[in-house]
Amino acid sequence: MLQKGDKKLINAWAFYDWANSVYSLVISTAVFPIYYAGLTASENFANAEGKISFLGMLFKPTSLYNYALAFSFLVVAILSPMLSGIADYAGSKKTFLKRFCLLGSISVMCLFFFTGKETLWVAIVFSVLASIGFWGSIVFYNAYLPEVAHPEQQDNASAKGFMLGYSGSILLLILCLVLIETEVFGFYDKQFGSQLSFVLVGLWWLGFAQITYAKLPKDLKNDLPKDNYFKKGILEFKKVAKELFGYRSLKIFLISFFLLSIGVQTIILMAGIFGTILGLPTLNLIGTILLVQFVGILGAFLFSRLSNKIGNIKTLKITIAIWGLVCVIGFNLTKETPNIDLYFYVLGGLIGLVMGAIQSLARSTYSKLLPKTEDTASYFSFFDVTEKVALVVGMVTFGLLNAIFTIQSSVLSLAVFFLAAFIVLSFINKTKNVR
């Protein structure tokens, strides 16, 4: 078994980002939302008001999809603390990682069967299950970071994961676009090309995950009574919760992480819609998405090196300041802005520069702040739940302000959360725990 700090072990752990990030880009951001919007907007799908029927109720297509994803986030937020407690008690992080990965990858492949009005349930049900599989696996994947890398290695290891994730997802997205835009099996059919891309995502995710599984430490074998797993898992989680709130730095960091996640996750999810409202063609939007991924590789690398020199907290504060600048620029963009395409590409470049950086640094900073413990899954479940709750708060805030004012006002409002995150983070000087 590879020892903690071994480069082969770190590389294998980071490779799960290469495996699962194709879901984030192809399914969450680029291909499936466009495919879903195109099908549900057709005349034989939506009614005269542009609404579709699901479970006997009428919804706007985008709203139904958003509600489905919000439900999946809620499920993960409820399940992950309990399951992480069980995983720590039973020593079964790897098993949970595998099961969530299997759920997510198979669900993504099942999206192949969403072809029209009669199969809308396929899109909704398997979108929910795929999201649960993805975010559920992330909890246990992140929990391995303090077990595979020493504190001085964790910034670079976390950044390596995001760099691999961006690289892999770019490659697969380009392949999917080729399938969608060219002849497939002798005939031209964009819909069938999109369907094939969903299968490719699932196969890529599940296939490359095997590399990670082969090197990660095996689950601990113990003689603990299996009928007590649920009860013991809850007790384990309560114990960790009590410990966590006894650490000042951890509490402050989670508050700051909550605030910055409201801004980061909302911008990531709403950037495409923002571009559409500004009147950008689909090709330009996908081009911007690819630009974000390419620059994200560079950003994750540069900021991980910067953190080695000036420390995690100062580096995080720099990325938060740049995110605030993104909000200010977005607020000033309208359909009438000259050279709007160019400005949107600049905005995409800035987002790419700090998107991977802030996510990888947040993960490694939290890992460094953890006490010496074997309950890493339970500790990281707090990290994950914080992010999910922040996402819900961000989406609701964004939607309400957009309904009352304009989408530009919603974008500017996110700068307030980044400012608050910057101020809260200032109460931590170093990545050192204070009981």
Side-chain angles (χ1 to χ4, degrees):
M1 187 176 70
L2 297 174
Q3 298 299 311
K4 180 177 178 177
D6 190 302
K7 287 186 178 180
K8 290 182 179 179
L9 178 59
I10 293 174
N11 289 338
W13 171 83
F15 211 74
Y16 188 72
D17 262 312
W18 170 283
N20 76 351
S21 290
V22 294
Y23 167 84
S24 298
L25 182 58
V26 179
I27 304 300
S28 293
T29 307
V31 178
F32 183 73
I34 295 173
Y35 176 79
Y36 172 86
L39 277 185
T40 54
S42 59
E43 292 182 2
N44 62 343
F45 206 119
N47 63 17
E49 298 176 347
K51 294 184 178 182
I52 57 178
S53 176
F54 185 72
L55 296 179
M57 294 180 285
L58 293 176
F59 300 89
K60 288 184 177 179
T62 303
S63 297
L64 176 60
Y65 183 62
N66 287 342
Y67 294 151
L69 291 182
F71 175 73
S72 71
F73 298 147
L74 181 62
V75 171
V76 173
I78 293 172
L79 283 182
S80 61
M82 178 184 69
L83 294 181
S84 61
I86 295 173
D88 283 332
Y89 170 73
S92 54
K93 285 198 294 289
K94 195 171 183 179
T95 297
F96 278 107
L97 173 61
K98 286 182 176 181
R99 288 176 180 174
F100 274 108
C101 173
L102 184 63
L103 171 66
S105 57
I106 290 178
S107 298
V108 166
M109 287 189 272
C110 287
L111 293 174
F112 174 88
F113 299 104
F114 172 46
T115 56
K117 189 174 183 178
E118 296 75 19
T119 51
L120 175 62
W121 67 272
V122 172
I124 301 304
V125 170
F126 288 106
S127 289
V128 169
L129 292 177
S131 178
I132 292 172
F134 174 78
W135 291 107
S137 71
I138 289 294
V139 177
F140 300 98
Y141 166 60
N142 286 342
Y144 270 107
L145 179 55
E147 294 187 23
V148 302
H150 296 293
E152 64 274 11
Q153 298 174 305
Q154 289 172 11
D155 289 340
N156 293 344
S158 184
K160 180 178 287 187
F162 278 95
M163 290 163 64
L164 285 170
Y166 289 136
S167 302
S169 55
I170 287 171
L171 287 176
L172 191 62
L173 177 59
I174 291 173
L175 177 58
C176 291
L177 292 177
V178 170
L179 282 176
I180 295 167
E181 298 294 337
T182 59
E183 290 187 2
V184 179
F185 297 133
F187 63 93
Y188 186 79
D189 190 336
K190 288 188 176 184
Q191 178 172 327
F192 187 61
S194 297
Q195 290 172 261
L196 282 180
S197 68
F198 307 148
V199 177
L200 278 178
V201 169
L203 292 174
W204 178 291
W205 183 1
L206 185 60
F208 282 114
Q210 306 307 312
I211 296 174
T212 300
Y213 299 159
K215 300 295 183 183
L216 284 182
K218 294 181 180 179
D219 284 342
L220 300 174
K221 291 185 182 282
N222 55 51
D223 298 322
L224 298 174
K226 291 182 172 55
D227 58 344
N228 283 340
Y229 274 9
F230 180 80
K231 180 180 178 181
K232 292 293 184 181
I234 297 296
L235 292 175
E236 190 77 20
F237 175 74
K238 288 182 177 179
K239 183 193 79 171
V240 168
K242 186 176 180 180
E243 289 178 0
L244 186 149
F245 290 108
Y247 291 101
R248 177 180 177 274
S249 295
L250 270 177
K251 285 191 296 185
I252 293 174
F253 179 79
L254 281 177
I255 294 171
S256 179
F257 179 64
F258 171 75
L259 293 167
L260 68 87
S261 293
I262 290 174
V264 172
Q265 295 300 330
T266 304
I267 289 174
I268 290 173
L269 289 177
M270 299 305 296
I273 293 175
F274 183 53
T276 302
I277 291 174
L278 292 178
L280 272 72
T282 300
L283 191 61
N284 292 48
L285 289 175
I286 292 179
T288 305
I289 290 170
L290 284 172
L291 174 66
V292 169
Q293 304 298 306
F294 277 115
V295 179
I297 299 171
L298 177 64
F301 174 80
L302 291 177
F303 280 96
S304 70
R305 296 304 183 271
L306 181 63
S307 69
N308 292 336
K309 293 185 177 181
I310 67 173
N312 290 54
I313 303 303
K314 289 181 180 178
T315 307
L316 271 172
K317 289 167 77 172
I318 292 172
T319 64
I320 291 171
I322 297 175
W323 276 106
L325 177 62
V326 165
C327 296
V328 174
I329 295 174
F331 172 72
N332 288 284
L333 295 183
T334 66
K335 284 185 177 181
E336 291 72 34
T337 302
N339 301 315
I340 184 65
D341 290 6
L342 177 61
Y343 278 106
F344 202 75
Y345 279 125
V346 170
L347 201 63
L350 279 175
I351 290 174
L353 183 66
V354 290
M355 184 171 71
I358 201 166
Q359 289 176 316
S360 65
L361 277 173
R363 179 168 65 183
S364 60
T365 302
Y366 185 74
S367 181
K368 288 181 177 182
L369 286 169
L370 294 183
K372 290 184 179 180
T373 179
E374 295 181 357
D375 299 327
T376 52
S378 295
Y379 271 100
F380 265 99
S381 71
F382 281 94
F383 184 80
D384 182 75
V385 170
T386 298
E387 188 177 42
K388 298 300 160 296
V389 175
L391 198 153
V392 174
V393 172
M395 295 295 286
V396 170
T397 303
F398 194 94
L400 286 175
L401 289 175
N402 184 31
I404 299 172
F405 302 107
T406 64
I407 195 168
Q408 285 82 0
S409 301
S410 300
V411 171
L412 185 63
S413 72
L414 298 178
V416 177
F417 292 106
F418 286 120
L419 176 61
F422 187 96
I423 293 171
V424 172
L425 196 62
S426 299
F427 288 93
I428 304 176
N429 295 320
K430 298 178 181 179
T431 48
K432 183 179 179 181
N433 245 316
V434 179
R435 183 77 177 168

